[in-house]
Amino acid sequence: MIDLRSDTVTRPDPTMRDAIAEAEVGDDVYGEDPTVNELETRAADILGTDAALYCPSGTMANQVAIDVWTEPGQELLLEAASHIYRYELGGAARHAGVQTRPVDGRPRGVLPPARIEEHLTEQALHVAGTGLVALENTHNNYGGRAIEPAAIAGAAEVAHEAGVPVHLDGARLWNAAAAQHIAPATFVDHVDSVMVSLSKGLGAPVGSILAGPRGFIDEARRSRKGFGGGMRQAGVLAAAGLVGLDRRQSVRADHERASRLAEGMTAIDGLDVVHPETNIVVADLDPVVADAEAWLATGEDIGILGTDVGPQTLRYVTHRDVDDDAIETAVERLNEVRGRFD
Ligand SMILES: *Cc1c(COP(=O)(O)O)cnc(C)c1O
C-alpha cells in the first residue's frame, strides 16, 4: 500500500528509534527533562525566538496560542480555509471563548493587508474587537502553497498597527522554508508566535513546537497544563523531535517527489493537477470520470491512498516513507484507478 494521505503517516526510522532508546529523561512538568529542554532550546534557536514549548500536537499548540493571546469574547481573524478554522473542532470558541472571523484568502491562501485591515475590529461598546490574527504557511488547503516572507510581513504589519498580535500556524513551515531556500526564522521574524510540527515531514512520532517571546511561552506553559498537555518523561518523544530538526532540509526530496507525482498525474485524463510548490499535490477530478470518494475507494483497492479536500478534489502528500520507486508505482496505480472508470 502506498500511503499518500498525509505526511503524518511517517514512522520513526532506526536513527530516531535509537535516539528514543537512549534519551535522558526527567519530569518535564518540573522542567527536569533534559531532552525536552534541549529540544525547546534548539527549536527556539532555529526559529529565532526567545523560547519554545513542546506540545503533544499542532492543534494543541495552536489552541494554546489562541488562549494566551486573546480574551474571551474577542475575535480571531483567520483565513477561511485554514486548519485552525476548518479542522480544530471550533477550539477557539471551546477553549478560549473567542469567535472566529474567517476571511476569504483566494486566490493564494494568503490574506492581503487591505483585506485584513477591512476585517480588523476595534473594541467598542457593541464590538468585540480583534484579539489575534492567525496565518498559515504552508497553506494546507491551498495545496501546500509556500507563502513568501514579504506576504507574512505585510499581513502582520497591519495587525500590529492595530495593536493585534499575529500567530503563524507553521505546521509545514519547514516545507515553506525549503521551497524558498530561506531559513525558517525569516518567516517568524514578522510574527509574535509560531507553531511548527515535528510529526509531519520531519518524521517524528509525536509533537509540535510553539515558539515566541519568553513571557508568552511562560503563559503558554500554564495554558498547556490546563489543556492536560503537561507531559512527564517526554524526553523519549523529544529525542525523536531533535533528530527531526536536524534533518529539516530533507523535505526538499519530498518536494521533488511531489513534482514528479504531479507530472505523472497531469498525463491522466480527467485530472486537473495544480503544480505543487511543496509536498502536497492537489487535483480536481472531472465529475464525468468519478467523484473523489469513488476515486479514493478504487485507489484503496489497487493500493494507493489519498484524501479528498472537496467533493471533486483529491490530495496526495509525499513524505520520507515514500521513495522514488514508490512514486513511480503510485503513478502507475493512479493510471490503473483511472482505467477502472472507463
Ligand atoms: C496538521 C496541521 C495542524 C495540526 O497538527 P496536529 O499535530 O495534527 O494536531 C495544524 N495546522 C496545519 C496547517 C496542519 O497541517
Side-chain angles (χ1 to χ4, degrees):
M1 184 66 80
I2 298 175
D3 192 347
L4 299 174
R5 284 172 301 168
S6 176
D7 43 11
T8 56
V9 302
T10 45
R11 294 181 186 160
D13 66 1
T15 311
M16 243 176 210
R17 287 176 185 268
D18 285 348
I20 289 168
E22 283 158 22
E24 266 187 71
V25 296
D27 190 328
D28 179 53
V29 173
Y30 294 132
E32 291 171 3
D33 189 302
T35 310
V36 172
N37 292 341
E38 188 186 340
L39 175 69
E40 291 177 346
T41 305
R42 188 138 164 60
D45 190 42
I46 292 166
L47 297 167
T49 61
D50 289 348
L53 179 72
Y54 184 44
C55 293
S57 69
T59 301
M60 189 189 287
N62 280 336
Q63 293 299 323
V64 164
I66 296 165
D67 181 42
V68 173
W69 287 124
T70 62
E71 297 296 330
Q74 285 186 319
E75 285 188 356
L76 165 62
L77 195 163
L78 75 187
E79 203 282 315
S82 64
H83 192 282
I84 294 176
Y85 185 60
R86 289 263 194 103
Y87 307 127
E88 299 193 9
L89 303 176
R94 287 181 188 227
H95 308 302
V98 301
Q99 59 182 349
T100 41
R101 183 186 283 250
V103 179
D104 191 343
R106 277 178 288 183
R108 298 202 60 239
V110 57
L111 296 174
R115 218 172 296 165
I116 292 179
E117 205 162 13
E118 185 190 333
H119 289 278
L120 284 168
T121 63
E122 201 177 332
Q123 188 184 327
L125 183 59
H126 301 288
V127 181
T130 309
L132 181 67
V133 170
L135 307 171
E136 183 173 313
N137 198 17
T138 63
H139 200 306
N140 180 13
N141 271 346
Y142 279 84
R145 251 313 145 61
I147 294 163
E148 60 283 2
I152 303 278
E157 196 181 335
V158 287
H160 288 154
E161 273 167 17
V164 175
V166 179
H167 172 70
L168 178 59
D169 176 349
R172 295 189 181 85
L173 194 69
W174 317 118
N175 299 85
Q180 303 192 353
H181 302 274
I182 52 180
T186 314
F187 300 94
V188 183
D189 280 350
H190 305 289
V191 298
D192 302 282
S193 61
V194 63
M195 181 281 271
V196 290
S197 291
L198 303 169
S199 59
K200 291 187 171 166
L202 303 189
V206 171
S208 285
I209 293 286
L210 179 62
R214 172 73 55 194
F216 166 80
I217 292 297
D218 289 346
E219 278 187 63
R221 200 173 289 281
R222 288 196 77 233
S223 173
R224 183 191 66 175
K225 191 77 176 74
F227 276 90
M231 299 181 284
R232 302 295 179 173
Q233 287 73 33
V236 289
L237 300 171
L242 278 162
V243 174
L245 285 182
D246 279 343
R247 57 159 75 133
R248 56 189 190 279
Q249 300 293 346
S250 72
V251 297
R252 274 183 219 281
D254 303 339
H255 298 180
E256 282 159 25
R257 289 180 186 129
S259 205
R260 225 158 329 118
L261 177 66
E263 257 170 56
M265 286 169 67
T266 302
I268 299 174
D269 175 43
L271 291 183
D272 185 9
V273 184
V274 182
H275 185 78
E277 291 180 14
T278 58
N279 67 327
I280 300 178
V281 182
V282 168
D284 281 326
L285 172 60
D286 188 336
V288 171
V289 176
D291 62 16
E293 207 179 314
W295 177 279
L296 291 169
T298 304
E300 193 171 349
D301 282 348
I302 291 171
I304 177 152
L305 300 177
T307 57
D308 49 343
V309 290
Q312 292 302 138
T313 310
L314 303 163
R315 188 188 83 156
Y316 293 99
V317 183
T318 58
H319 53 76
R320 56 185 305 109
D321 289 0
V322 176
D323 61 14
D324 293 341
D325 288 347
I327 291 297
E328 257 177 60
T329 312
V331 173
E332 285 164 18
R333 290 186 187 170
L334 289 172
N335 272 292
E336 213 176 316
V337 173
R338 176 63 187 87
R340 295 263 179 112
F341 291 102
D342 276 337

